[in-house]
Each structure stands twice: as structure tokens, then as C-alpha cells.
Amino acid sequence: MRVLATILLFISIFLQTFTSFVIQAEYLLNKSYIANNLCVNKDKPAMHCNGKCYLSKRLKEQEKQDQQAPTSKKERLEVIPFFLPKQFSFAVVSISTRQEYYVTDTPISSAFLCSIFHPPTF
């Protein structure tokens, strides 16, 4: 269900963003139908319009719709931080220069027969 909703949301955003490309693609796919049936200048074959008048009309309509659409006003959201008063307490930190080393008497054994590091050979 989430995948379907994601795909539908992606398609709707894509179509809204690239409407002029969608209109041009629709024109290219249906060029013969538009030239024969929807063209404004089909009575004047000498103009060789081939439906470009319909394409420009649709693009102008879409541009007009884009301009009429309410532009999203960038609202300034003011965030007022709310802090509860808290008493500050400072912990005393002691700086020690004494270092402690732990010495063990047990030898470190390895399951490897040889060391892993090998210097490069020339």
C-alpha cells in the first residue's frame, strides 16, 4: 500500500512540475489526430501548422494557470524556545598526571601460525 501511495505521489509531483513537457509529449504522440481534428488552422493547409497552433494554445493556457495558482508564501515560523529553569551545578574535575599501567603475567597466544603483516616485496 505504501509503495502504491509513493508511486502515485511521485507521478502527481512529476506531472505538476513538468506539465509543459507532458503537453509537448502529448502533442508529439497525437500529432496526426491534433492536426486533423483539433487544429485551429486546418482550413488553411498552406500554413503547414500541423497542430502547432493547438500546442501553443495549450502551453499558453498552462502558463496562465501556473501564474494564477496561488504562490506559496514563505511564512516565517518563529520558534520560541521554552526552557525550564534548572540550576547549574559544576562538578569538580581533578586533573591527574599519574598514569597507571596494568601488567599481566600471562603471555598472549595467537591462533595464527605466522604474523598477518607482511612487508612489501620488490
Side-chain angles (χ1 to χ4, degrees):
M1 185 67 181
R2 287 184 183 178
V3 174
L4 180 64
T6 303
I7 291 172
L8 289 175
L9 183 62
F10 177 74
I11 290 172
S12 66
I13 290 172
F14 179 79
L15 290 176
Q16 183 180 8
T17 304
F18 300 106
T19 51
S20 63
F21 295 120
V22 172
I23 291 172
Q24 290 175 358
E26 177 191 7
Y27 168 74
L28 290 174
L29 292 174
N30 300 323
K31 194 173 191 177
S32 61
Y33 174 77
I34 291 172
N36 293 333
N37 298 328
L38 302 175
C39 183
V40 177
N41 297 324
K42 65 182 174 185
D43 298 333
K44 304 172 189 172
M47 292 183 70
H48 299 289
C49 178
N50 296 330
K52 291 179 185 173
C53 56
Y54 177 77
L55 174 65
S56 64
K57 180 180 171 185
R58 288 278 312 265
L59 288 174
K60 285 179 185 177
E61 287 175 2
Q62 183 60 39
E63 185 177 324
K64 197 181 283 186
Q65 281 182 353
D66 289 343
Q67 288 176 355
Q68 289 177 353
T71 57
S72 62
K73 296 179 181 178
K74 293 183 179 178
E75 296 181 10
R76 184 176 176 198
L77 297 176
E78 186 175 337
V79 178
I80 302 172
F82 178 72
F83 295 107
L84 292 173
K86 183 178 179 182
Q87 286 188 345
F88 293 105
S89 62
F90 295 101
V92 178
V93 178
S94 64
I95 300 173
S96 174
T97 58
R98 184 175 172 216
Q99 295 179 351
E100 295 182 20
Y101 297 101
Y102 297 102
V103 179
T104 59
D105 292 334
T106 58
I108 298 173
S109 63
S110 174
F112 298 108
L113 296 177
C114 60
S115 77
I116 296 174
F117 176 75
H118 297 287
T121 57
F122 294 101

